[in-house]
Amino acid sequence: MLNKVLAAIDSSDLSDLVIKTLQQLSLPEDAQVVLAHVLVNSDANPDIAVDRPQVEREDISYDVLERLQTYQAALPYKSELEILCGEPAEEIVRLANIHHADLIVIGSRGLTGVTRILKGSVSSQVVEEASCSVLVVKPR
């Protein structure tokens, strides 16, 4: 049963599809959803051992924070918003493990060829490394 779902969202239009997909899932009434937003931090210090890297409110633009809160309000389930710094795929998988998620819902931009090689695929890495099921939402 899907009692705990982690949804990886960013400030792109693809996140709208992730939220719509979440709304269409038949989750139990008492399901909990964790909305995860990862700020890419190239200056992160890998020697600092913490469970959840802290993000200062100043690191997030007002528009992005407002959009994330709008996503959260649109969900018919109990939810919380987690904002992290680091490498997106690693943080999403780590957060799913911390919350013992039954499912990760993540968008895919559909990168192919050289673009995929150069930029990498967060969703592919999450599928490969996650210890739970992963639902990849693709744009239509």
Side-chain angles (χ1 to χ4, degrees):
M1 182 155 300
L2 302 175
N3 293 317
K4 188 76 132 196
V5 177
L6 184 135
I9 56 174
D10 57 20
S11 55
S12 74
D13 291 337
L14 191 54
S15 292
D16 292 342
L17 289 175
V18 170
I19 296 300
K20 286 177 185 173
T21 300
L22 269 174
Q23 292 169 330
Q24 294 172 357
L25 291 177
S26 295
L27 299 177
E29 226 175 79
D30 61 341
Q32 296 179 355
V33 176
V34 177
L35 298 175
H37 178 76
V38 181
L39 299 171
V40 179
N41 183 3
S42 58
D43 299 331
N45 182 351
D47 296 328
I48 298 175
V50 294
D51 274 350
R52 298 182 194 178
Q54 297 297 311
V55 175
E56 300 296 327
R57 287 280 187 199
E58 305 87 56
D59 294 339
I60 307 165
S61 74
Y62 176 77
D63 292 339
V64 171
L65 185 58
E66 186 176 44
R67 188 169 187 177
L68 297 174
Q69 290 170 338
T70 300
Y71 288 146
Q72 185 178 15
L75 293 174
Y77 310 106
K78 181 179 173 187
S79 64
E80 62 182 277
L81 182 59
E82 291 270 5
I83 303 172
L84 307 163
C85 273
E87 290 298 320
E90 292 173 14
E91 294 304 321
I92 291 165
V93 170
R94 186 164 62 117
L95 193 59
N97 289 334
I98 289 170
H99 284 280
H100 305 287
D102 302 308
L103 176 70
I104 298 172
V105 181
I106 187 169
S108 172
R109 287 180 173 64
L111 301 178
T112 59
V114 175
T115 307
R116 182 178 173 140
I117 292 168
L118 294 175
K119 290 187 174 182
S121 171
V122 173
S123 59
S124 293
Q125 188 176 346
V126 169
V127 167
E128 192 173 307
E129 296 177 7
S131 59
C132 64
S133 296
V134 180
L135 173 59
V136 179
V137 179
K138 294 185 173 195
R140 296 183 175 130

